[in-house]
Amino acid sequence: KQEVTQIPAALSVPEGENLVLNCSFTDSAIYNLQWFRQDPGKGLTSLLLIQSSQREQTSGRLNASLDKSSGRSTLYIAASQPGDSATYLCAVKIYNQGGKLIFGQGTELSVKP
Amino acid sequence: GAGVSQSPSNKVTEKGKDVELRCDPISGHTALYWYRQSLGQGLEFLIYFQGNSAPDKSGLPSDRFSAERTGGSVSTLTIQRTQQEDSAVYLCASSLAGAGYNEQFFGPGTRLTVL
């Protein structure tokens, strides 16, 4: 059974700091991994999608890496801003499980001005 | 273009009543998913529709939960005889196709409170 774990569960940093969020998964037979952002009381916003054949994806200040063989992904946020405060979720889509995503529990990020 | 929409945004109901939640996927997306997000369980898969294929219902927690998708577009999730443990945010997502490499896009969710 696929399990997805995110560390840390919560993180508080001062504005301007670079930070790394971690995601690990137990079954490497995946199509892809998605990173999402969720603001309080809102739905999920897709940030980055990394296909299983890719090593990383970048969008603005965000960079996500994927090491499928070791079951790990990281989300790097450069020069953090208070507007980055949200919960960040990673999810994997695994083979032979239809199209469903398996989610981690999320990392709650707070960026202090 | 328009994203995934869900209605209502909030629903408060009494224990034992039936509720219907609606999802409008992105136009042209053939795959539609329902997930549930609750405090104790995180985000869990409920059901998945792909085109005209039989839905994957493996995530439905009990036979009080059912869903249908009409005309390959709009979907309705129905919960019968609601219980307090059904209180959660119900999220809908769609993608161009199901299994495979396509990105899922999520709606804003319906927050269900069962009193």
Side-chain angles (χ1 to χ4, degrees):
Chain A
K1 178 186 173 185
Q2 177 73 272
E3 293 184 1
V4 181
T5 304
Q6 291 187 246
I7 295 174
L11 182 63
S12 181
V13 300
E15 181 177 5
E17 194 162 297
N18 302 325
L19 57 99
V20 174
L21 307 181
N22 297 290
C23 174
S24 62
F25 48 96
T26 55
D27 186 346
S28 62
I30 64 170
Y31 285 112
N32 55 48
L33 183 146
Q34 253 180 290
W35 281 95
F36 294 91
R37 168 186 174 137
Q38 186 173 35
D39 294 285
K42 306 291 185 182
L44 304 182
T45 300
S46 181
L47 297 173
L48 289 163
L49 171 72
I50 311 178
Q51 303 293 358
S52 59
S53 59
Q54 297 175 323
R55 298 285 292 186
E56 66 178 327
Q57 282 286 335
T58 298
S59 176
R61 294 182 294 107
L62 305 179
N63 176 278
S65 67
L66 175 64
D67 184 342
K68 196 174 70 164
S69 60
S70 67
R72 295 176 186 273
S73 176
T74 61
L75 179 66
Y76 175 83
I77 303 177
S80 58
Q81 302 171 359
D84 295 330
S85 297
T87 296
Y88 291 79
L89 293 149
C90 71
V92 296
K93 183 189 286 188
I94 57 179
Y95 290 150
N96 301 320
Q97 291 285 328
K100 66 183 178 185
L101 294 175
I102 309 297
F103 283 85
Q105 294 290 325
T107 293
E108 186 176 354
L109 174 65
S110 176
V111 181
K112 306 294 187 183
Chain B
V4 178
S5 61
Q6 294 186 244
S7 61
S9 55
N10 282 285
K11 177 71 176 179
V12 180
T13 191
E14 294 178 347
K15 178 181 172 181
K17 295 286 180 69
D18 297 352
V19 295
E20 286 189 350
L21 312 180
R22 176 187 169 105
C23 172
D24 282 271
I26 293 172
S27 178
H29 281 193
T30 60
L32 186 148
Y33 313 80
W34 285 97
Y35 296 86
R36 177 171 73 173
Q37 187 174 32
S38 53
L39 279 176
Q41 300 297 322
L43 239 154
E44 304 171 287
F45 164 78
L46 295 177
I47 188 169
Y48 154 56
F49 296 89
Q50 171 57 59
N52 296 321
S53 301
D56 175 356
K57 305 179 183 179
S58 60
L60 295 179
S62 78
D63 59 8
R64 296 186 295 104
F65 288 71
S66 63
E68 63 178 20
R69 189 177 185 191
T70 54
S73 180
V74 172
S75 177
T76 302
L77 177 69
T78 301
I79 309 174
Q80 296 179 311
R81 304 181 303 282
T82 52
Q83 304 293 313
Q84 288 182 333
E85 61 262 29
D86 300 333
S87 295
V89 176
Y90 290 81
L91 293 163
C92 176
S94 71
S95 67
L96 278 171
Y101 299 92
N102 295 294
E103 187 173 2
Q104 291 188 21
F105 297 88
F106 281 76
T110 293
R111 180 174 298 276
L112 175 66
T113 303
V114 182
L115 301 176

